[in-house]
Amino acid sequence: MHSIDQVDIAIIGAGLGGAAAMALLDDAGFSAHCFEQAPVFTRLGAGIHIGPNVMKVFRRIGLEDRLAAIGSHPDYWFSRDGMTGDYLSRIQLGDYAKREYGAPYITIHRGDLHAEQIAALPQDRLHFGHRLTDITERDSDVLLTFANGKQVAAQLVIGADGINSMIREKLLGVEKPRFSGWVGHRALVNMDKLRASGVEFEPCVKWWWEQSRHIMAYATKSNNSEYYYVTGVPVDGWAHEASFVDSSREEMEATFGASHPVVNALIDATEEVTKWPFWNRDPLNLWSQGRLCLLGDACHPMRPHMAQGACMAIEDAAVLARCLEEVGTKDYASAFALYEATRRERATKVQTISNANTWLKEPEDPARVYAHDPLSVQLG
Ligand code: FAD
C-alpha cells in the first residue's frame, strides 16, 4: 500500500501547455507538481509555429533566447495558389514582428521546443510514468489515483491533459471528440533531395487548392537545414484506432501531384510521411468546477490550421498563473472564474477561425493575434 502524497497544485499532463503552466506557476511563487503519463518524451517528426504572443511568455520563463537561437525566423508567412504559385497573401514577420508585435515569430521542431521546456522545469516535481486513472473530489482536496498505483491529494488540479482529457470528462461526462472530416499528412523532407531539385523553398508558406485543401511548409531550424510540412485534406472518415497511420509519397502524389513545381519538389523529397486525423470539440460551457480547472486542448481543442493551438494553451497557462497569484489559491473559485472571464472570448475566437481554416487565406491584419500579451492583458 502506497502512502498518499500531498501537493498544493497538481498539473495533469506535461505537454506544451502543462509544462508552461508549471514554469509560470513557479515563477509566480507556487510549487506545482506535474504528472505525465508518458515515461519519456521523444522527438517525433513535427514542427510548430510560435507566435510573438507566446514568445513573450517564453521571455518571462527565460527560454526566449534559447528558442530564438534554435528556431527559424521567417520574414513572411506567404499564402500561395498550389497550382499557379500566385501569391494570395503575405504577412510580414521577421524584424517587423519583433518591432510591431513585441517578440519574434519562430517556427521550430516541436520536439526541440518541448525538450527545452521540460529541461527548464524543477525535475523533482515532474513525475513521468504517471497516468491518471481516477479522480475523487473530497471535502478539502482531490484524490488523484495513477495507473502505477501512486495516489496524490491535491488542493487544486489543472487539467492540461489534452483533447481526451480525464479532467474534462470528470467535469462534463464521457464524450469522444468529433472527427473533423480532415486529416493532415506530416513529414520532415529529405533536404539533399529538396536542394538538388533547384527550387527555392521559402521558410514559411501555405499552399492552397480548391476546398481549402492545403500544405503548410516551413523550416524548423535557424539555418533552415530542416524543412517540414503538414497538410490539410478532407476525407470521408477515419476508421483507425491509432492516433496516426503511415502514409506514403504515392499517396501524396495522388493527393497533390501535378501542382506547382515547388510542391512537386516537396513531394519528391518526401521519404517518410504519416497521416493524422484532426479531432474537434465545440466550445465547452464549463472551464472549471470546484478544485478542477482546464487549459489548452483539454478545454478548447481546434484544428491546427491557424498554428495557434499550443499558443492558446500557453496563453491560458500565463493567465491562470496570474489569476491564482492575484486572487490566491484559497479562493480558487474566484481565481478560476477570473481566468475563464479573461480567456474565454479570445480562445473561442481562435478555435472558431482555426476550425473554419480561413486564417490568412486572404490578406488580413494578424495584430490582434500576435500583438496580444497574456502577461499584461487586463484580467476579467
Ligand atoms: P497536449 O500537447 O496534447 O498535451 C497533453 C499531455 O497530457 C500529453 O503529454 C499527454 O501524454 C498527457 N496526458 C493525457 N492524458 C493523461 C493522463 N490521463 N494522465 C497523465 N497525463 C496525461 N499549435 C500551435 O500553437 N502552433 C502550431 O504550429 C501547431 N501545429 C499543429 C499541427 C498539427 C498537425 C496538430 C495536430 C496540432 C498543431 N498545433 C499547433 C496544436 C497543438 O499541438 C496543440 O494545441 C497543443 O499540443 C495543446 O497542448 P496541450 O498541452 O493542451 O495538450
Side-chain angles (χ1 to χ4, degrees), residues 12-13 15-18 35-37 41 48-49 110 130-132 160-162 186 230 278 296-297 304 307-311 313:
I12 308 301
L16 303 178
F35 301 91
E36 165 59 47
Q37 64 184 359
F41 287 127
I48 193 160
H49 296 230
R110 193 189 168 100
H130 279 65
R131 182 166 64 83
L132 182 68
D161 47 347
R186 292 166 125 175
V230 54
F278 294 150
D297 276 11
Q308 280 286 327
C311 290

Side-chain angles (χ1 to χ4, degrees), residues 113-154:
L113 163 69
H114 199 195
E116 292 294 330
Q117 282 190 264
I118 295 293
L121 295 175
Q123 302 296 307
D124 56 329
R125 283 186 272 120
L126 188 52
H127 310 280
F128 284 99
H130 279 65
R131 182 166 64 83
L132 182 68
T133 53
D134 194 50
I135 307 159
T136 307
E137 294 181 84
R138 307 192 294 193
D139 287 344
S140 56
D141 60 19
V142 181
L143 182 65
L144 302 170
T145 303
F146 296 92
N148 61 10
K150 299 262 174 61
Q151 287 194 306
V152 171

Side-chain angles (χ1 to χ4, degrees), residues 210-364:
E210 75 289 350
Q211 292 178 292
S212 293
R213 286 189 304 131
H214 61 267
I215 298 180
M216 177 84 233
Y218 54 93
T220 49
K221 287 194 171 163
S222 57
N223 58 3
N224 296 343
S225 61
E226 189 175 74
Y227 203 60
Y228 163 80
Y229 67 74
V230 54
T231 75
V233 179
V235 292
D236 289 338
W238 180 260
H240 310 279
E241 281 301 315
S243 54
F244 68 93
V245 296
D246 286 336
S247 179
S248 61
R249 180 166 53 228
E250 291 70 29
E251 184 175 341
M252 289 299 297
E253 277 163 0
T255 312
F256 294 104
S259 290
H260 186 271
V262 175
V263 175
N264 296 342
L266 206 55
I267 293 173
D268 284 347
T270 301
E271 284 174 352
E272 284 179 22
V273 51
T274 50
K275 184 164 64 174
W276 300 67
F278 294 150
W279 302 97
N280 245 336
R281 289 187 194 279
D282 291 330
L284 304 186
N285 56 21
L286 193 68
W287 283 36
S288 68
Q289 196 168 54
R291 298 172 186 273
L292 308 179
C293 181
L294 299 173
L295 69 71
D297 276 11
C299 190
H300 40 66
M302 59 191 83
R303 275 163 56 187
H305 309 316
M306 196 172 160
Q308 280 286 327
C311 290
M312 288 304 109
I314 295 166
E315 285 190 9
D316 283 351
V319 170
L320 181 55
R322 285 180 61 202
C323 293
L324 287 168
E325 189 179 15
E326 174 147 326
V327 178
T329 49
K330 281 214 165 53
D331 187 6
Y332 51 83
S334 299
F336 290 164
L338 186 62
Y339 158 66
E340 180 176 342
T342 312
R343 291 294 301 154
R344 176 182 278 280
E345 187 184 337
R346 178 169 167 86
T348 304
K349 193 174 276 180
V350 171
Q351 184 182 23
T352 308
I353 298 169
S354 279
N355 289 343
N357 187 24
T358 51
W359 179 242
L360 302 181
K361 187 173 187 181
E362 289 170 0
E364 66 180 296

